[in-house]
Amino acid sequence: MNLTINHLPSQIDLRKHLSNDNKILYYRFSDEEKLHLVKSMQIFKENPYVDFKKILRKCKTIDISSNFLKILREASTKPFIFIENLPIDSVLPNTPNSDFDPVEKTYISEYILLLLSFYLESAPYINVGEKNDSVIHNVIPIIGKEHEESGAGSLATFDWHTENIHEKSPTDYFTLLALRGDKNAFTSILAIKDIVKSLPDSLIQKLLTTKFLMKTGQSYTTESSITRTILERDEKGEFSIFYNSNSSRCIALDEEGSQVYQQLKEKINALRIFSIDLRPGDALIINNHKALHKRDGFKISTPENERRWLQRIYLRKEAK
């Protein structure tokens, strides 16, 4: 198992379990498929940050493997999809040091993110108040913010959470695409089915009924909040989760809520989890209602101008 000082015994190297775990949807693009995608995307001339809707309309002309399409169609039933060997920009500029720095690049990675959203039958979702309301986010360790509890803080553990817990209808999926990696940086995933399986029925019932105040975090420019339960259950009996392990973002409203929150946190921390160091061309598509994720604190192992660089897009399932 590929362990570092960040990797604990309870963490399982995802790359060692890509073909034999039924929670994992996995696809690796062949070099031929990768080249085909790059050639096909030559029809995209638009700036993806400005004209992403035009790009999405063109996506229907680009063919992808039927096997890959089949995997994407299963996204609503699984906690995450892992993809390897996607095309990204052949030449990258220095990793930016601000969420708002203009980035001069060829937009291959942005086109890939939009193409994936099209075939997931999902629309890009603008997360108002975060990352300058951009359709695609650069997720980077920022020099000077090493201890900030967000994607910018390399030394801080960005602990277990789902995205947009402060919203009435949080994003359905989000995709992380790696442009540059760091051998010390691990993204971890925990499926809601594994969480619920570990909980006593009494705690599940409390999580379905006990309300918490859920708020925005440090990366937002405007504060927003909502009161909701951590677990919800639909008419089919399927669970969804809305959670942040930071108690200043998922706030108990009374003593019973504090106890429920602490019990859940202890159960989550006791579970075995999948972890992976994302490498260039890797993508992780996470079902935001079916999984928690986190990124452990890490010491940057690369030159400053080649720091870890992920891009992220939020997605909402389109109505049928």
Side-chain angles (χ1 to χ4, degrees):
M1 193 178 296
N2 180 25
L3 300 181
T4 74
I5 58 171
N6 305 87
H7 232 31
L8 302 174
S10 61
Q11 295 177 314
I12 305 168
D13 186 350
L14 176 60
R15 294 183 198 276
K16 302 288 183 67
H17 293 263
L18 292 175
S19 61
N20 59 8
D21 188 284
N22 61 13
K23 289 188 288 296
I24 298 171
L25 290 173
Y26 166 68
Y27 191 83
R28 179 180 175 84
F29 274 78
S30 68
D31 290 339
E32 292 78 12
E33 289 175 300
K34 185 176 177 179
L35 181 61
H36 167 73
L37 272 185
V38 173
K39 289 181 176 179
S40 299
M41 289 189 301
Q42 289 176 356
I43 64 171
F44 299 152
K45 306 297 183 184
E46 296 84 358
N47 182 323
Y49 295 92
V50 178
D51 294 319
F52 68 90
K53 291 181 180 179
K54 291 182 181 179
I55 296 169
L56 287 168
R57 286 195 289 270
K58 291 183 178 181
C59 285
K60 62 185 177 183
T61 67
I62 296 181
D63 295 325
I64 61 173
S65 158
S66 59
N67 290 331
F68 182 54
L69 187 59
K70 181 180 178 181
I71 284 175
L72 293 182
R73 293 291 182 264
E74 295 184 58
S76 63
T77 66
K78 299 289 185 177
F80 64 94
I81 302 171
F82 179 61
I83 309 164
E84 287 185 304
N85 205 36
L86 279 165
I88 58 171
D89 310 70
S90 57
V91 177
L92 285 172
N94 292 343
T95 300
N97 196 45
S98 168
D99 294 336
F100 312 116
D101 280 350
V103 179
E104 296 294 330
K105 58 191 292 292
T106 56
Y107 295 141
I108 294 297
S109 61
E110 288 90 345
Y111 293 155
I112 286 293
L113 286 168
L114 291 169
L115 184 68
L116 290 174
S117 70
F118 174 81
Y119 279 107
L120 279 166
E121 298 180 340
S122 299
Y125 173 66
I126 305 297
N127 198 34
V128 176
E130 187 182 25
K131 305 281 187 183
N132 209 27
D133 297 351
S134 177
V135 65
I136 294 170
H137 300 166
N138 291 309
V139 182
I140 49 182
I142 295 178
I143 305 303
K145 295 187 177 182
E146 289 83 358
H147 296 282
E148 181 177 292
E149 191 171 321
S150 72
S154 54
L155 293 176
T157 291
F158 198 22
D159 216 342
W160 292 115
H161 63 286
T162 50
E163 300 290 331
N164 313 129
I165 58 171
H166 59 281
E167 296 189 355
K168 182 177 180 180
S169 299
T171 184
D172 294 306
Y173 308 112
F174 67 98
T175 302
L176 294 171
L177 174 61
L179 281 65
R180 289 189 172 115
D182 191 306
K183 65 181 182 180
N184 291 337
F186 287 87
T187 299
S188 299
I189 294 289
L190 187 53
I192 188 175
K193 287 185 178 180
D194 293 332
I195 297 171
V196 171
K197 192 185 302 183
S198 75
L199 304 178
D201 289 342
S202 58
L203 182 53
I204 292 173
Q205 291 306 311
K206 289 178 181 178
L207 290 165
L208 287 166
T209 57
T210 305
K211 292 190 175 182
F212 295 79
L213 179 65
M214 303 196 181
K215 299 176 61 177
T216 48
Q218 293 184 40
S219 60
Y220 289 82
T221 55
T222 57
E223 188 173 295
S224 180
S225 64
I226 193 171
T227 301
R228 63 155 26 109
T229 58
I230 289 176
L231 288 184
E232 292 184 4
R233 201 171 198 174
D234 63 19
E235 62 278 0
K236 296 179 181 179
E238 295 288 329
F239 288 98
S240 294
I241 189 165
F242 310 93
Y243 175 74
N244 195 300
S245 60
N246 184 333
S247 59
S248 68
R249 294 197 59 191
C250 187
I251 303 169
L253 300 178
D254 54 32
E255 182 58 34
E256 182 180 30
S258 296
Q259 293 176 6
V260 168
Y261 181 85
Q262 186 59 34
Q263 290 171 28
L264 175 62
K265 194 168 186 175
E266 290 172 359
K267 290 289 186 181
I268 288 172
N269 289 338
L271 294 173
R272 290 173 65 82
I273 60 177
F274 287 111
S275 294
I276 191 163
D277 59 318
L278 294 171
R279 302 168 187 173
D282 288 350
L284 196 57
I285 302 172
I286 298 176
N287 186 324
N288 191 47
H289 303 302
K290 302 298 180 188
L292 301 180
H293 64 284
K294 73 170 183 173
R295 191 227 63 212
D296 290 336
F298 67 100
K299 184 176 180 180
I300 296 172
S301 68
T302 62
E304 188 173 297
N305 63 345
E306 296 179 359
R307 299 187 317 286
R308 185 177 188 253
W309 186 356
L310 309 184
Q311 288 187 322
R312 174 179 65 197
I313 189 170
Y314 292 124
L315 303 173
R316 178 155 289 166
K317 289 186 288 188
E318 295 182 315
K320 297 292 186 180

